[in-house]
Amino acid sequence: FQGDLVHVKELEIKGFEMRSKLLTFIRMCRDLRHENLNPYVGFLADPIRPSIVMEYCSRGSLNDVIHNEDFKLDWDFKLSLLTDLVRGVRYLHSSPLKFHGHMTSKNCVIDSRFVLKITDYGVSGIMERCKAVKEYETRDLLWSAPELLRDPVLLQRGTDKGDLYAMAIIFQEVALRTEPYSTTGLTPEEVIKKLKKPPPLIRPSVTPQAAPPQFIQIMKQCWSEMPEMRPNIDEVYDQFKKLTGGKKANIVDTMFKMLEKYSTDLEDIVAERTMQLEEEKKKTDQLLFRMLPPTVAESLKIGRNVEAECFDEVTIYFSDIVGFTTISAMSTPMQVVDLLNDLYTMFDATINDHDVYKVETIGDAYMVVSGLPIRNGNRHAGEIGTLALVLLSQCGKFTIRHMPQVPLRLRIGLHTGSCVAGVVGLTMPRFCLFGDTVNTASRMESTGAGMSPVLT
């Protein structure tokens, strides 16, 4: 055979002789040809495990597609697959074979062109001619008609009316994309027991939201309790033609429509995801720019080394809280954190109105510079001086939440001169200032008086 172009369907038949009537029957099955039948390729006459050889269908069984969430089945797609099923059953019932015998969603396979094909037809005939008995698992009986479940001999052979019942159960599977009788909430054993011995009658439930009313009516007719009350396959075929408006359901057209829809949806999803990505990038950049100067951050983002730079004239601001050690001793750690967070959140909002750059905070110390990383001529001293006065004014109105009676006093030191600025470290990189100007401003702050900026 042609390698991976064939698929071996194994039969549980062991040790039987190939008699002429069996060969005649197999040849008859092999000669059946229809676009919705999976054709016999040959028969493997192995004495231990004989097998039917059929064409390989790459999409797997209908049962696989139903339970694969990656397949998006709209109603047109479902109707196309079920129309293929009806055509295949119609051909079988008009052929010398007369019926399938044990049709399920597992032996309806789908090829690479998404055409449904019925397989396993003729198996019951082969078993009968070999005097072999097929043993079914309970779950595999869910597609069997009640009259077949009550008669073991008839169950082995199958009937044309039993095919219509099985087809209706497959209709329910495809419409709801669930297991047979899933709406009953019963186990397979309980379902089989109730099917064998009604009343009450037990059948699946399909709502009008899941399928058109005409389709539901066809389904209910096909699973009637009395076999003679079920329509024949030609009547079902005619009703399906009405469902499709007399047009042949074309899976290729359906696929193209789905691809166009998915393409449009994908474009919308990509646009939405791109917008979300841009928003997240802005948030990330804003956070990064709060930690490092924007020019420095951009250089680090593209992997460029940031060279240290000398600035001839900058003004540096240092401040701390007078009596912070005493306040800390009288407060819990959480109260200290709340105090500093309230104070420095107010400071951060204020510096946005001035041409300054916040370098860092260490404990209660707050360090700001003007004139770098972007030079501003000789405006740096005025910017820092104005900022210091504004912060002093704000501290006079500031209230410590857990000590409202205790005033908060700032000690500030300022100094103008040259300094060197650069990024230190790779992990948690910091933008640091170095030079005598930094040291002098720090000493001016530490030796100054509270609520009075010291300038040099």
Side-chain angles (χ1 to χ4, degrees):
F1 302 112
Q2 301 178 29
D4 60 355
L5 298 179
V6 295
H7 173 63
V8 176
K9 180 67 183 179
E10 296 177 344
L11 305 174
E12 296 181 5
I13 311 171
K14 299 182 180 179
F16 63 87
E17 297 178 358
M18 302 298 291
R19 300 172 183 175
S20 64
K21 62 178 182 179
L22 177 59
L23 289 173
T24 301
F25 182 79
I26 292 174
R27 288 193 187 100
M28 183 266 291
C29 292
R30 184 197 61 187
D31 292 340
L32 296 177
R33 287 291 184 270
H34 189 269
E35 63 178 338
N36 299 120
L37 286 190
N38 197 26
Y40 277 48
V41 177
F43 188 84
L44 179 62
D46 189 307
I48 298 176
R49 195 163 215 171
S51 304
I52 297 172
V53 183
M54 292 182 163
E55 284 188 2
Y56 173 69
C57 291
S58 59
R59 301 292 179 182
S61 70
L62 177 60
N63 187 270
D64 296 331
V65 172
I66 289 171
H67 298 290
N68 187 344
E69 294 182 358
D70 292 335
F71 281 100
K72 307 302 181 185
L73 302 181
D74 60 11
W75 177 245
D76 288 339
F77 205 152
K78 292 177 181 178
L79 185 60
S80 177
L81 293 175
L82 294 178
T83 302
D84 286 346
L85 174 61
V86 172
R87 288 194 189 117
V89 174
R90 182 170 180 253
Y91 175 78
L92 275 179
H93 285 196
S94 63
S95 73
L97 195 58
K98 299 301 182 185
F99 53 82
H100 186 286
H102 189 68
M103 189 165 56
T104 72
S105 60
K106 294 180 180 179
N107 51 36
C108 295
V109 294
I110 299 174
D111 67 11
S112 58
R113 299 181 297 114
F114 284 97
V115 175
L116 184 144
K117 297 183 176 183
I118 300 171
T119 187
D120 284 2
Y121 54 91
V123 172
S124 59
I126 293 174
M127 301 285 285
E128 182 181 357
R129 285 160 178 78
C130 296
K131 294 182 170 55
V133 177
K134 172 72 174 176
E135 294 183 1
Y136 295 103
E137 294 183 3
T138 303
R139 189 183 177 285
D140 292 333
L141 296 174
L142 292 174
W143 291 266
S144 300
E147 68 273 13
L148 302 185
L149 294 173
R150 300 180 193 120
D151 187 340
V153 176
L154 207 56
L155 179 63
Q156 291 291 323
R157 183 174 178 272
T159 64
D160 57 346
K161 294 296 184 179
D163 284 354
L164 289 169
Y165 188 95
M167 189 171 66
I169 298 301
I170 296 173
F171 287 175
Q172 173 254 294
E173 285 186 272
V174 174
L176 301 181
R177 298 193 73 172
T178 59
E179 297 289 340
Y181 299 94
S182 60
T183 55
T184 64
L186 302 176
T187 64
E189 291 77 10
E190 292 171 332
V191 171
I192 298 302
K193 183 178 178 180
K194 289 181 179 292
L195 286 171
K196 286 182 178 180
K197 296 181 179 180
L201 291 179
I202 180 171
R203 295 293 186 271
S205 175
V206 178
T207 64
Q209 289 75 29
Q214 305 96 308
F215 176 81
I216 297 174
Q217 185 62 30
I218 297 171
M219 192 164 46
K220 288 181 177 180
Q221 291 172 1
C222 289
W223 64 40
S224 295
E225 181 69 17
M226 303 299 293
E228 59 272 15
M229 297 297 294
R230 297 171 198 158
N232 61 47
I233 190 61
D234 288 324
E235 292 172 340
V236 175
Y237 178 75
D238 290 339
Q239 292 185 63
F240 257 75
K241 285 177 66 176
K242 293 178 181 178
L243 271 177
T244 58
K247 298 179 181 179
K248 182 178 179 180
N250 190 320
I251 191 65
V252 176
D253 290 342
T254 301
M255 288 294 295
F256 274 122
K257 289 178 182 177
M258 289 178 64
L259 288 172
E260 289 176 1
K261 181 177 181 297
Y262 292 156
S263 176
T264 303
D265 291 345
L266 184 60
E267 290 176 0
D268 293 340
I269 291 172
V270 169
E272 181 182 351
R273 294 289 188 271
T274 302
M275 188 178 299
Q276 291 175 354
L277 180 62
E278 290 294 333
E279 291 296 326
E280 293 301 320
K281 184 176 181 296
K282 287 180 182 178
K283 292 177 183 178
T284 304
D285 287 345
Q286 287 175 357
L287 179 60
L288 183 60
F289 294 160
R290 289 174 183 174
M291 299 171 63
L292 295 169
T295 53
V296 173
E298 291 293 346
S299 296
L300 291 176
K301 282 168 60 177
I302 61 177
R304 185 187 303 164
N305 291 330
V306 180
E307 299 291 337
E309 186 176 0
C310 180
F311 294 85
D312 294 334
E313 286 190 10
V314 299
T315 299
I316 297 175
Y317 164 105
F318 270 102
S319 69
D320 69 357
I321 300 172
V322 178
F324 181 72
T325 304
T326 303
I327 294 174
S328 297
M330 300 170 62
S331 309
T332 65
M334 289 299 295
Q335 289 173 335
V336 173
V337 171
D338 289 339
L339 163 62
L340 293 178
N341 185 56
D342 291 344
L343 180 64
Y344 292 147
T345 298
M346 180 181 70
F347 282 10
D348 292 344
T350 303
I351 66 175
N352 290 331
D353 299 329
H354 300 79
D355 184 11
V356 299
Y357 175 75
K358 176 183 173 182
V359 181
E360 62 181 347
T361 58
I362 302 175
D364 64 323
Y366 194 82
M367 180 181 180
V368 179
V369 63
S370 181
L372 68 81
I374 299 175
R375 293 173 172 81
N376 57 4
N378 58 4
R379 292 192 297 109
H380 48 85
E383 292 288 341
I384 289 292
T386 303
L387 173 66
L389 294 174
V390 173
L391 294 181
L392 283 175
S393 173
Q394 289 182 341
C395 284
K397 304 173 185 176
F398 183 82
T399 301
I400 302 174
R401 276 192 276 172
H402 63 286
M403 293 180 176
Q405 74 284 359
V406 177
L408 188 137
R409 302 168 62 206
L410 270 190
R411 182 166 42 226
I412 299 175
L414 314 175
H415 185 63
T416 297
S418 62
C419 76
V420 172
V423 177
V424 177
L426 295 176
T427 302
M428 292 291 289
R430 294 177 59 195
F431 185 70
C432 299
L433 307 184
F434 303 93
D436 289 341
T437 304
V438 179
N439 298 331
T440 303
S442 178
R443 292 192 187 98
M444 296 300 293
E445 175 268 319
S446 59
T447 57
M451 300 303 286
S452 175
V454 180
L455 303 89
T456 60

